[in-house]
Amino acid sequence: MGTPTVGVRAMVGVPDPAAATYALLVGVPFDLSGARSRWGTEARWAAREAEARGDGALNDACAAAMDAWADVVASDAALAVLESRLRAARARVAAAQARLAAQAATARDVALVEQELADAEADHLAARRERESAAGRLREALLLSPSDPAEVAPAYAPSMPPGMTRERAAALALARRREGL
């Protein structure tokens, strides 16, 4: 049922005033088609759709943050490996130069290990750039400022509960199997 309406109409009489017409109109609209109730249903569906879009945007933001976090963790792990490679390459260069000084190696041997050191330094630099890029994506996903640090905890490594040994864990696993071996 709609809002009632009241209308007044006055028409001037032509050719004389006695021909004037006055009318009072009272209206109470009602809906036979049911369209008005569908408007509410449609509005509820539009609200649900908006909530679903918000949930989807939240999921996308969480996924972007997790991807950035994973990239930072992977970059940190790669940097650790490349720093170890860099230390080893520097040690090999020093050893090769010492052998060259003792005339136990050739200049070619020193050049080869120096090339390996240069490759390790280049890979380390590329990994640092990748880590900074991943850290920037993480800051952006978390709405941090560029000056905020993007330090993350290392990825979870498997660990044993306190007081548990591998042998005991294996024995418990075998005892709890459904097959009953």
Side-chain angles (χ1 to χ4, degrees):
M1 193 115 150
T3 307
T5 59
V6 176
V8 178
R9 182 192 241 170
M11 294 174 47
V12 182
V14 176
D16 57 10
T21 306
Y22 301 98
L24 177 64
L25 301 169
V26 177
V28 179
F30 58 93
D31 186 16
L32 295 176
S33 68
R36 195 166 192 81
S37 65
R38 282 200 234 20
W39 291 344
T41 304
E42 190 172 327
R44 281 189 294 278
W45 279 107
R48 287 180 190 160
E49 179 185 359
E51 288 174 5
R53 286 182 191 217
D55 291 344
L58 179 63
N59 284 343
D60 291 346
C62 288
M66 284 194 272
D67 284 347
W69 174 82
D71 290 345
V72 170
V73 169
S75 296
D76 285 345
L79 270 174
V81 169
L82 289 172
E83 286 169 0
S84 174
R85 177 182 168 203
L86 196 55
R87 284 191 301 274
R90 286 181 180 143
R92 281 193 294 278
V93 167
Q97 288 173 343
R99 284 194 318 268
L100 180 65
Q103 295 183 348
T106 64
R108 180 178 184 271
D109 296 332
V110 174
L112 287 174
V113 293
E114 285 175 345
Q115 178 62 44
E116 183 180 334
L117 174 62
D119 291 343
E121 287 174 342
D123 291 345
H124 184 262
L125 185 60
R128 285 183 56 191
R129 278 195 306 263
E130 179 58 35
R131 202 271 184 211
E132 287 306 312
S133 173
R137 288 192 306 274
L138 181 63
R139 281 189 207 99
E140 183 180 344
L142 298 178
L143 300 176
L144 299 174
S145 71
S147 61
D148 289 334
E151 300 299 322
V152 297
Y156 298 107
S159 63
M160 298 294 273
M164 180 73 70
T165 63
R166 289 184 185 192
E167 292 78 19
R168 184 162 186 263
L172 283 173
L174 286 173
R176 294 180 182 167
R177 285 182 64 177
R178 290 186 183 176
E179 293 86 21
L181 292 176

